[in-house]
Amino acid sequence: MRVTFSANGKPVEADDVWEGESLLYVLRERVGLPGSKNACEQGECGSCTVYLDGVPVCSCLVAAGQVQGREVRTVEGLAGPDGELGLVQQAFVDAGAVQCGFCTPGLLVQTDALLAADPQPSDTDIREALSGNLCRCTGYEKIMDAVRLASARTCARGAEK
């Protein structure tokens, strides 16, 4: 089957999609957006998190056919218009929260969603928002630092307007 949807604001079309193919597979292998990672294929780790119509979802659990005519935003879509790192992405780099990088795409999307809903989350709110994202490298403290830094920068940017 053919699946047509919007990825990061651009129309895309994937041909010869099998009914049971995941959105994750289509993004990585058919559309050329490899940022979302394939770690567990069970929706347990969060590495494949993307936005689907503005809501974070584990793309390994979404059948490709379900995205027909819908909007998908991946970690690549968090970058600026000229490809520069987005605010959340830069905060993760600056805080040293990127180790092996496997969990990072999902954490970035989830952090972006959290800060869009609450620009000044408490540590409890951060932990809750990221509870579906597993990281085996950092021990989470650097990730917490990155989210706090992104929050501070988001608020500072809002104050400048």
Side-chain angles (χ1 to χ4, degrees), residues 20 22-25 37-49 57-63 102 131-134 136:
S22 70
L23 171 59
L24 175 62
Y25 185 87
K37 302 302 181 205
N38 185 2
C40 74
E41 296 184 12
Q42 298 176 5
E44 296 291 328
C45 71
S47 294
C48 67
T49 303
V57 298
C58 290
S59 60
C60 71
L61 297 179
V62 177
F102 220 73
S131 65
N133 296 80
L134 302 179
R136 293 174 178 92

Side-chain angles (χ1 to χ4, degrees), residues 49 62 89 106 112 125 130 132 143 146 156:
T49 303
V62 177
Q89 293 166 317
D112 184 73
D125 294 335
L130 301 182
I143 294 168

Side-chain angles (χ1 to χ4, degrees), residues 16-47:
D16 300 321
V17 175
W18 172 65
E19 294 173 359
E21 263 179 44
S22 70
L23 171 59
L24 175 62
Y25 185 87
V26 169
L27 290 170
R28 291 180 57 81
E29 305 300 329
R30 297 190 184 276
V31 180
L33 294 170
S36 303
K37 302 302 181 205
N38 185 2
C40 74
E41 296 184 12
Q42 298 176 5
E44 296 291 328
C45 71
S47 294

Side-chain angles (χ1 to χ4, degrees), residues 25-149:
Y25 185 87
V26 169
L27 290 170
R28 291 180 57 81
E29 305 300 329
R30 297 190 184 276
V31 180
L33 294 170
S36 303
K37 302 302 181 205
N38 185 2
C40 74
E41 296 184 12
Q42 298 176 5
E44 296 291 328
C45 71
S47 294
C48 67
T49 303
V50 299
Y51 285 107
L52 180 58
D53 292 335
V55 178
V57 298
C58 290
S59 60
C60 71
L61 297 179
V62 177
Q66 291 178 296
V67 301
Q68 178 65 37
R70 298 174 76 182
E71 169 65 33
V72 176
R73 186 170 173 222
T74 68
V75 66
E76 291 94 341
L78 299 181
D82 296 323
E84 72 279 3
L85 294 178
L87 186 143
V88 172
Q89 293 166 317
Q90 190 63 56
F92 269 67
V93 170
D94 293 346
V98 179
Q99 296 284 313
C100 80
F102 220 73
C103 66
T104 305
L107 286 165
L108 290 169
V109 171
Q110 202 62 46
T111 298
D112 184 73
L114 169 65
L115 297 180
D118 180 3
Q120 292 183 291
S122 68
D123 282 0
T124 301
D125 294 335
I126 295 169
R127 285 187 191 94
E128 177 66 26
L130 301 182
S131 65
N133 296 80
L134 302 179
C135 175
R136 293 174 178 92
C137 299
T138 66
Y140 295 97
E141 198 51 46
K142 297 276 188 188
I143 294 168
M144 293 290 292
D145 291 344
V147 178
R148 291 183 200 111
L149 180 59

